Amino acid sequence: VVAACAAAVLAQAARNARKLKAFRELEKEVHEGKCYLTSNGHGSVLRVVNLITLRLERWDGKFCVEVGKWSLKEGVVKQTRARLPGSKMRAGELAMQALRRLTGEELSVLNPQIGGGTFVEVEEAASDSYGVPTRYVKTNFIAKTSAPTAKDTSVIPLGAEGFEVFQDIELWVAQEDFLDNDKTSVYAWVTD
């Protein structure tokens, strides 16, 4: 009985520690201007995130998706849900400014040509990270790249250690020194 009580206390402490960590991360995100908190009209907290995404298509009809993040600490790619490249907008930043930041930094080697218009989507869901109801306001851009391959990208060899889950996909990063950086985005070219 004592062991069961101790296990329950430890489990509760772990849950509280995770909640405290998530709260601290959310507090940091609000302070950095990456989201804001408001009421949903029913008295509950609603997290609002403004972000941009880019559908970047290359010459052969394939488009770019982010499939993971390189974890320097663990030495592996942490697989994420495949998604279009994007960025949270910063406080006071317009969608076009956030797009320029994304295409001027991480994706500059592909020389994306923006065109084809934009559209806005609004989605509400519980945040995976914080468990808080969240409204995602996405401004979606469309671009093309005529480069058959990016000159300054590093292609990750198929079957490389730590990348076994991606056996049949050409993975790449936009930084040659990605092995020395933490949280580097890993991309793939895919079809619809």
Side-chain angles (χ1 to χ4, degrees), residues 139-162:
T139 302
N140 301 284
F141 293 89
I142 299 169
K144 292 196 178 282
T145 182
S146 57
T149 58
K151 293 177 184 170
D152 297 323
T153 62
S154 297
V155 175
I156 300 168
L158 294 178
E161 186 175 339

Side-chain angles (χ1 to χ4, degrees), residues 113-133:
Q113 303 301 307
I114 308 301
T118 63
F119 60 98
V120 176
E121 292 178 291
V122 178
E123 175 186 323
E124 290 200 18
S127 163
D128 291 339
S129 302
Y130 309 118
V132 175

Side-chain angles (χ1 to χ4, degrees), residues 40-60:
N40 68 357
H42 303 289
S44 296
V45 171
L46 179 67
R47 174 176 167 252
V48 179
V49 178
N50 292 300
L51 52 114
I52 59 107
T53 64
L54 178 65
R55 182 180 168 102
L56 179 59
E57 190 174 309
R58 74 179 183 184
W59 59 274
D60 61 359

Side-chain angles (χ1 to χ4, degrees), residues 33-77:
K34 294 179 178 177
C35 75
Y36 64 91
L37 302 177
T38 188
S39 171
N40 68 357
H42 303 289
S44 296
V45 171
L46 179 67
R47 174 176 167 252
V48 179
V49 178
N50 292 300
L51 52 114
I52 59 107
T53 64
L54 178 65
R55 182 180 168 102
L56 179 59
E57 190 174 309
R58 74 179 183 184
W59 59 274
D60 61 359
K62 291 184 177 182
F63 65 98
C64 177
V65 293
E66 181 182 337
V67 294
K69 295 278 189 188
W70 170 253
S71 172
L72 177 64
K73 185 168 72 173
E74 297 177 38
V76 297
V77 170

Side-chain angles (χ1 to χ4, degrees), residues 12-25:
Q12 182 64 36
R15 281 192 297 275
N16 288 340
R18 283 191 301 273
K19 286 180 184 177
L20 180 59
K21 182 180 178 192
F23 174 77
R24 295 281 184 234
E25 289 172 2

